[in-house]
Amino acid sequence: MNNNDQDLHWKLCKDYFSIVTSTSKTEISLEELCAYSKVSYKKATEIIPKNNFDYDYYFLKILVARIDFEALDQLKNDIADDTISTVYDKILEGITIRFEKYLPYKQALKLLSSSFNFKSKYFLKLFEANNSYMLNLLELVEERQICSFKIIKSITLNIVFARTMDIFLKEEKNELNSTLRNLDKYLSDVEDMGVMLGIIQNKL
């Protein structure tokens, strides 16, 4: 996919979530999206897979991929010369950045996640995407360690993220106070358990 197509994908993705936020609709046709985006329907059908009617999931995948890339890139720059922060601090920052980047899409995500069918249909695939983010996060903040431990830790962090996402979506105001407070608590809890089991030494 060339850069122009990637840019168009991202424009349609942002506009899709803008429509969901402004209208509270979770079923949006490609024709409606193209009219809102002022993008040729013919051009859109050239870059979006044919017979793809799950636009909610299609654009959610694009959103998650974009956010994850930007969050990891920002964290990489933030910790490049950091010799003071602990691994725990860096993991907390990495997940915090991710939530900060989700914040503008909170209302749309809340509407989409309220659908049981949406949750049940896409849970495993989104869990896989989240697990990939956590593995990449651990690669950034940790030195080499036993692969099996890293996998266990990534799954644990994924569970922490899922629990915190539930707080994020329930928080009424468009802020992160309660979300980040609970994130820190959940991380601290799993750190204590990891040390006890010998999976984590000293700090996450």
Side-chain angles (χ1 to χ4, degrees):
M1 185 183 299
N2 60 45
N3 289 336
N4 288 337
D5 286 350
Q6 288 180 340
D7 290 343
L8 184 55
H9 262 109
W10 180 234
K11 173 177 172 52
L12 290 170
C13 177
K14 288 194 298 182
D15 287 346
Y16 170 83
F17 283 100
S18 292
I19 295 173
V20 173
T21 300
S22 62
T23 65
S24 297
K25 291 171 54 178
T26 56
E27 293 186 9
I28 300 164
S29 69
L30 186 58
E31 290 88 348
E32 182 179 359
L33 176 59
C34 288
Y36 181 90
S37 301
K38 296 181 173 57
V39 170
S40 161
Y41 179 78
K42 181 177 182 297
K43 179 61 179 176
T45 56
E46 290 174 357
I47 64 170
I48 294 177
K50 293 180 179 179
N51 301 321
N52 181 40
F53 300 107
D54 291 329
Y55 296 118
D56 48 7
Y57 180 57
Y58 181 79
F59 289 116
L60 182 61
K61 285 196 302 181
I62 295 174
L63 179 69
V64 169
R66 178 82 172 218
I67 284 177
D68 286 358
F69 175 81
E70 291 180 351
L72 289 170
D73 190 57
Q74 181 177 330
L75 178 66
K76 183 179 180 180
N77 291 329
D78 288 351
I79 67 175
D81 300 314
D82 186 350
T83 59
I84 299 174
S85 299
T86 65
V87 172
Y88 180 97
D89 294 334
K90 293 173 183 177
I91 289 175
L92 178 61
E93 180 180 356
I95 301 177
T96 296
I97 292 171
R98 202 178 189 217
F99 275 114
E100 289 173 344
K101 291 188 176 296
Y102 273 122
L103 193 57
Y105 307 97
K106 180 177 179 178
Q107 185 59 32
L109 292 172
K110 184 181 294 189
L111 289 165
L112 290 172
S113 67
S114 65
S115 166
F116 175 78
N117 288 335
F118 183 86
K119 285 183 176 180
S120 61
K121 189 173 183 180
Y122 304 131
F123 174 78
L124 290 178
K125 288 188 178 294
L126 292 178
F127 187 90
E128 181 181 337
N130 288 335
N131 198 47
S132 176
Y133 178 84
M134 297 310 170
L135 278 171
N136 289 327
L137 174 59
L138 290 170
E139 287 290 336
L140 272 181
V141 304
E142 287 188 324
E143 296 179 358
R144 292 182 180 179
Q145 65 171 264
I146 299 173
C147 182
S148 59
F149 281 1
K150 184 163 288 188
I151 291 172
I152 292 171
K153 289 168 71 171
S154 70
I155 293 172
T156 302
L157 291 176
N158 196 359
I159 293 170
V160 166
F161 179 81
R163 291 183 67 191
T164 312
M165 176 61 86
D166 189 52
I167 302 294
F168 172 78
L169 294 174
K170 288 178 179 177
E171 196 167 6
E172 292 298 327
K173 296 180 180 178
N174 200 39
E175 59 184 32
L176 292 172
N177 294 339
S178 179
T179 299
L180 299 185
R181 186 169 60 251
N182 280 279
L183 170 61
D184 196 11
K185 177 184 180 303
Y186 297 153
L187 275 179
S188 181
D189 288 345
V190 299
E191 179 191 33
D192 292 342
M193 180 64 70
V195 171
M196 184 179 72
L197 295 176
I199 296 173
I200 298 172
Q201 300 298 325
N202 297 323
K203 282 290 182 181
L204 263 170

